[in-house]
């Protein structure tokens, strides 16, 4: 895992590439390099920061140059041994054992046709000295990031947006529509970027740029098509074998590998499989201060993590999450690149920091299983909502009135069941796409318009339309799989994979996600929705597969939350900062957010009438991000 950057036909491209690469030093503390070559009337510069995982010798150093091709690559190819054997049988001679060299030779032999054959996570740039062409590529599911910026015939790219912003700040303008999207979702969807001039290369795609400035784009893998093919397939799915094979492939490493272990189904399943294949593997789990956990009404995940660790001989490292959030908030905002309001990013960062201090560079995470196998509460809730709509209004309205008056918290504790009930009733009577959106986003349309400058109302409409367009962009007849597909296209790359990448790499640690594997994804969409949600059991197909190795008390335990005690933090640690941001924050002073709407959120949360802790947490992250973006622009423009 590494950081990549580069420029193509860009003035002062060499020094700029060095600055970009230096900003990415945390992604690769084990080595650095730069490649330069003529490209048409200008030059190409490829930069690299290395985190050595496979082939720790110099034969794995990058940028890698061989017989007219130069490659800077961030990622892991889990089928590199199979590709290496195929290429060697065709006469290719390898100098080392890195997957970088396998990728370079696969590109030489097959060009873009090699891309559908790659199984892994990756973003890379490859330059052909003979044609002068540069090609950028991103993996099938958007696990690894790649940001780019075009100007005239030139291009600049990097693994993280902060590198582009740090080097080109005065040339970048904040995209108000992207910030509105972040308010809705609490992250910036993958189709948008926080700066107007920059973009994210879409998952499963490539971009070729030629010396004359012409560009060509292609898609080599489509999640929409995979879902359609899965729905049409009658092939039986041995999910347990597919998941086991994925975990085995993701253990490929020349350095120690550990796992996240929350005690939930996904991390427990992966940890159990990893322990079978790598006896004595270590795992990392988190706990919270007792008073925080009680106030948040959080389940005791540690108990389940200890059961799994003992059963499978795993060395369990327990980390108490009691951070100085006032210090961590600006630091995490910097590392996350864009405004992301999920406090789980803090957990990931602290776990990876502890693992790195213990000498662990690679972690396995259960990320992606909920999206692909319908494991979130929203999936079941949207199914229940269909039945709820059939209840006569005369019965529904008194229930809704009673729930509306119930408090979500007292002075000493929160009431999770009330929070869930209020959340459910906020979308239960809405049409399918609108209900699904409302079941996991922060505001309804009217609330979002009331929160931002009235002049931005058209941008709110654009954001809501983009969600509807993405949700409806399929021909699936299966409601559950329509939700899973939308999650895999929006929620997974925009939030979970994004914060996992940035938080782990901030600690110079690689996180691998065996459930977000092309073979697992194909299997997931061959499983019908009525096997994913059975009765009130979400993720039923995955649970059935896991029963082959895990005890029932783990498989069927109540769902935990990889989150943080936000209500406790908001009422104690962050209360002064909330007041400052609401009364005199830059977002309010600039006119982007409306002070009276923010104050209403604070009042509702303080009274316990509504749980607005996540809304306010995201406002704090957005404020810190916006201050940094504006300050960087001012400093560099001066």
């Amino acid at each position: 895992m590494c950081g990549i950057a580069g420029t193509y036909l860009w003035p002062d491209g060499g020094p700029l590439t060095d600055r970009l690469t230096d900003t990415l030093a945390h992604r690769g503390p084990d080595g650095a390099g730069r490649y330069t070559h003529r490209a048409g009337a200008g030059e190409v510069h490829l930069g690299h920061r290395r985190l050595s995982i496979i082939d720790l010798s110099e034969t794995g150093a990058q940028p890698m140059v061989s017989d007219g091709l130069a490659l800077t690559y961030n990622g892991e190819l889990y089928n590199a041994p199979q590709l290496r054997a195929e290429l060697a049988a065709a006469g290719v001679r390898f100098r080392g054992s890195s997957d970088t060299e396998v990728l370079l030779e696969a590109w030489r032999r097959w060009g873009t046709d090699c891309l559908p054959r790659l199984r892994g996570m990756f973003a890379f740039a490859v330059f052909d000295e003979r044609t002068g062409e540069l090609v950028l590529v991103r993996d099938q599911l958007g696990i690894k990031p790649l940001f780019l910026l075009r100007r005239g015939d030139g291009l600049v790219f990097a693994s993280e947006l902060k590198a582009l912003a740090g080097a080109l700040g005065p040339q970048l303008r904040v995209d108000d529509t992207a910030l509105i999207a972040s308010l809705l979702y609490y992250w910036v969807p993958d189709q948008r970027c926080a700066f107007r001039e920059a973009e994210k290369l879409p998952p499963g795609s490539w971009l070729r740029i030629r010396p004359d400035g012409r560009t060509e784009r292609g898609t080599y893998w489509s999640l929409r098509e995979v879902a359609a093919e899965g729905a049409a397939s009658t092939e039986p799915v041995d999910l347990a074998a597919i998941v086991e094979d994925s975990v085995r492939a993701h253990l490929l490493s020349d350095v120690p590998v550990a796992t996240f272990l929350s005690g939930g189904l996904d991390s427990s399943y992966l940890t159990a499989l990893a322990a079978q294949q790598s006896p004595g593997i270590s795992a990392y789990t988190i706990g919270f201060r007792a008073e925080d956990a009680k106030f948040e009404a959080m389940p005791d995940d540690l108990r389940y993590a200890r059961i799994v660790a003992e059963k499978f001989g795993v060395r369990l490292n327990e980390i108490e999450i009691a951070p100085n959030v006032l210090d961590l908030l600006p630091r995490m905002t910097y590392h996350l690149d864009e405004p992301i309001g999920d406090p789980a990013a803090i957990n990931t960062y602290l776990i990876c920091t502890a693992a790195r201090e213990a000498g662990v560079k690679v972690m396995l995470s259960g990320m992606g299983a909920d999206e692909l196998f319908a494991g979130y509460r929203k999936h079941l809730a949207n199914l229940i909502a269909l039945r709820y709509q059939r209840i006569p209004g005369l019965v529904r309205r008194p229930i809704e009135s009673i729930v509306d008056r119930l408090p979500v918290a007292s002075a000493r504790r929160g009431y999770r069941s009330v929070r869930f009930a209020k959340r459910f009733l906020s979308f239960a009577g809405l049409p399918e796409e609108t209900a699904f959106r409302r079941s996991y986003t922060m505001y309804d349309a009217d609330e979002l318009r009331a929160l931002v400058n009235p002049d931005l109302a058209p941008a709110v409409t654009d954001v809501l339309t983009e969600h509807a367009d993405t949700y409806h962009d399929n021909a699936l007849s299966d409601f559950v799989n329509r939700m899973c597909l939308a999650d895999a296209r929006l929620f997974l790359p925009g939030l979970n994979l994004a914060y996992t990448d940035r938080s782990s790499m901030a600690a110079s640690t690689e996180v691998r996600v065996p459930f977000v594997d092309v073979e697992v994804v194909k299997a997931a969409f061959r499983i019908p929705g009525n096997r994913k949600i059975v009765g009130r059991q979400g993720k039923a197909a995955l649970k059935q597969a896991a029963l082959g190795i895990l005890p029932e008390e783990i498989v069927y335990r109540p769902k935990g939350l990889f989150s943080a005690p936000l209500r406790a933090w908001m009422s104690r640690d962050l209360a002064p900062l909330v007041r400052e941001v609401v009364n005199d924050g830059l977002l309010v002073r600039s006119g982007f957010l409306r002070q009276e709407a923010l104050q209403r959120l604070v009042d509702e949360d303080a009274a316990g009438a509504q749980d607005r802790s996540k809304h306010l947490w995201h406002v704090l992250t957005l404020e810190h991000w916006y201050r940094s973006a504006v300050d960087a622009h001012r400093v560099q423009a001066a």
Side-chain angles (χ1 to χ4, degrees):
M1 193 54 54
C2 309
I4 65 172
T7 59
Y8 184 83
L9 305 184
W10 197 277
D12 298 320
L16 175 57
T17 298
D18 288 341
R19 293 198 299 275
L20 296 170
T21 307
D22 287 346
T23 304
L24 301 174
H26 54 279
R27 296 184 73 96
D30 298 334
R34 172 153 71 91
Y35 161 87
T36 300
H37 198 274
R38 294 292 301 174
E43 291 182 329
V44 61
H45 301 272
L46 304 180
H48 193 266
R49 292 293 312 206
R50 186 183 186 197
L51 182 65
S52 303
I53 303 294
I54 295 175
D55 189 354
L56 311 185
S57 73
E58 281 303 304
T59 59
Q62 296 187 53
M64 185 173 286
V65 185
S66 175
D67 295 333
L69 290 180
L71 173 68
T72 184
Y73 156 62
N74 166 31
E76 301 290 354
L77 289 186
Y78 305 120
N79 64 338
Q82 293 84 358
L83 291 173
R84 176 185 295 272
E86 183 177 353
L87 290 164
V92 175
R93 300 183 64 182
F94 291 93
R95 297 180 298 112
S97 59
S98 72
D99 58 337
T100 307
E101 191 175 7
V102 172
L103 176 58
L104 187 64
E105 295 305 327
W107 185 270
R108 186 191 315 283
R109 184 169 181 83
W110 297 304
T112 55
D113 287 342
C114 79
L115 299 177
R117 307 175 64 154
L118 304 181
R119 183 182 184 184
M121 54 181 184
F122 49 86
F124 64 86
V126 60
F127 176 71
D128 191 323
E129 295 176 348
R130 291 158 293 193
T131 65
E133 296 176 351
L134 178 72
V135 182
L136 305 180
V137 179
R138 191 173 176 206
D139 67 58
Q140 294 94 327
L141 291 147
I143 304 172
K144 291 292 106 184
L146 191 57
F147 295 88
L148 62 105
L149 188 152
R150 293 290 314 280
R151 189 174 69 195
D153 293 341
L155 177 145
V156 57
F157 67 90
S159 292
E160 296 183 2
L161 185 60
K162 71 176 67 66
L164 299 182
L168 303 169
Q171 303 171 41
L172 302 179
R173 295 169 295 168
V174 171
D175 186 336
D176 287 343
T177 305
L179 298 197
I180 288 173
S182 85
L183 284 168
L184 175 70
Y185 295 109
Y186 59 95
W187 75 90
V188 178
D190 212 54
Q191 306 97 303
R192 288 199 169 269
C193 188
F195 295 109
R196 295 186 206 173
E197 294 76 13
E199 63 177 289
K200 302 161 187 169
L201 189 66
S205 75
W206 53 267
L207 167 68
R208 175 182 284 111
I209 183 168
R210 297 182 172 89
D212 60 6
R214 290 183 298 131
T215 60
E216 178 186 4
R217 291 177 181 264
T219 298
Y220 67 90
W221 201 88
S222 165
L223 189 54
R224 178 183 183 275
E225 292 177 4
V226 166
E229 291 167 3
S233 174
T234 57
E235 180 183 349
V237 178
D238 187 346
L239 186 57
I242 292 169
V243 172
E244 182 178 354
D245 175 69
S246 180
V247 173
R248 182 184 301 108
H250 281 70
L251 286 169
L252 181 68
S253 175
D254 291 334
V255 298
V257 178
T259 74
F260 288 86
L261 178 56
S262 68
L265 170 68
D266 311 330
S267 65
S268 297
Y269 193 12
L270 294 186
T271 298
L273 291 171
Q276 282 190 338
Q277 298 169 31
S278 182
I281 195 170
S282 60
Y284 288 78
T285 193
I286 56 172
F288 300 96
R289 288 177 296 201
E291 62 269 28
D292 290 350
K294 181 179 180 181
F295 190 86
E296 199 72 19
M298 303 180 89
D300 183 12
D301 287 336
L302 272 176
R303 179 170 74 86
Y304 295 100
R306 289 167 181 157
I307 291 171
V308 173
E310 183 177 358
K311 179 174 178 60
F312 294 98
V314 173
R315 299 192 304 273
L316 186 62
N317 301 274
E318 299 180 10
I319 304 165
E320 183 178 82
I321 300 292
N324 184 333
V325 289
L326 280 172
D327 288 342
L328 264 181
L329 180 59
R331 193 189 323 167
M332 292 308 303
T333 302
Y334 169 79
H335 280 299
L336 289 173
D337 267 356
E338 294 183 297
I340 293 178
D342 192 335
I346 290 177
N347 301 350
T348 300
Y349 173 72
L350 294 176
I351 288 175
C352 288
T353 298
R356 183 65 201 226
E357 289 172 353
V360 175
K361 285 186 179 182
V362 180
M363 302 280 290
L364 299 187
S365 164
M367 187 70 69
D370 284 314
E371 290 86 345
L372 295 168
F373 296 98
Y376 289 121
R377 291 185 180 90
K378 66 180 177 183
H379 297 132
L380 176 59
N382 275 275
L383 272 184
I384 294 173
L386 295 180
R387 296 193 285 271
Y388 180 77
Q389 291 175 12
R390 294 196 288 267
I391 298 174
L394 288 174
V395 177
R396 295 205 314 255
R397 282 191 288 274
I399 296 172
E400 292 165 1
S401 178
I402 292 170
V403 172
D404 186 57
R405 293 195 298 269
L406 292 174
V408 297
S410 65
R412 295 191 175 185
R413 65 173 299 166
Y415 306 122
R416 290 181 77 199
S417 58
V418 177
R419 294 205 304 266
F420 292 157
K422 285 177 180 282
R423 185 68 166 163
F424 174 77
L425 292 176
S426 72
F427 64 83
L430 300 174
E432 180 182 316
E433 178 273 326
T434 309
F436 180 70
R437 167 171 55 80
R438 191 66 190 93
S439 70
Y440 74 99
T441 54
M442 303 283 276
Y443 307 94
D444 66 25
D446 290 339
E447 290 171 335
L448 188 55
R449 290 189 184 97
L451 185 62
V452 301
N453 190 307
D455 293 340
L456 295 173
V460 172
T461 300
D462 288 345
V463 170
L464 299 178
T465 300
E466 287 171 1
H467 183 280
D469 289 346
T470 301
Y471 185 87
H472 292 303
D473 181 31
N474 66 84
L476 300 179
S477 60
D478 187 319
F479 178 33
V480 172
N481 274 324
R482 285 198 296 273
M483 291 190 286
C484 290
L485 178 59
D487 271 347
R489 298 174 77 180
L490 287 165
F491 195 75
L492 191 55
L495 174 65
N496 283 340
L497 294 176
Y499 86 67
T500 298
D501 172 82
R502 267 36 128 240
S503 298
S504 61
M505 294 309 295
S508 302
T509 307
E510 171 180 303
V511 171
R512 299 176 177 181
V513 283
F515 287 117
V516 192
D517 171 82
V518 289
E519 297 304 321
V520 176
V521 171
K522 290 176 186 176
F525 285 103
R526 294 203 304 270
I527 298 172
N530 60 13
R531 287 184 51 210
K532 291 184 175 180
I533 299 180
V534 178
R536 292 182 175 270
Q537 283 285 339
K539 223 157 34 183
L542 191 66
K543 289 176 179 177
Q544 188 63 40
L547 281 173
I549 186 172
L550 288 176
E552 288 193 11
E553 66 178 316
I554 300 297
V555 173
Y556 292 113
R557 61 155 291 195
K559 182 172 176 58
L561 294 172
F562 187 66
S563 188
L566 272 187
R567 288 192 57 80
W569 290 353
M570 286 297 169
S571 65
R572 184 184 59 240
D573 310 64
L574 296 172
L577 181 59
V578 170
R579 288 193 294 270
E580 175 197 333
V581 169
V582 170
N583 293 320
D584 194 39
L586 187 57
L587 287 168
V588 169
R589 285 189 281 118
S590 70
F592 181 80
L593 293 183
R594 301 166 77 172
Q595 194 273 338
E596 63 274 17
L598 285 181
Q599 187 61 54
R600 189 158 51 247
L601 295 177
V602 172
D603 293 343
E604 289 174 347
D605 192 71
Q610 298 288 342
D611 181 6
R612 302 298 191 187
S613 55
K614 183 175 283 189
H615 301 68
L616 295 172
W617 172 265
H618 183 57
V619 168
L620 296 185
T621 65
L622 185 59
E623 173 76 16
H624 273 283
W625 184 91
Y626 193 70
R627 288 177 185 177
S628 299
V630 171
D631 288 347
H633 195 284
R634 287 172 179 163
V635 169
Q636 293 186 36

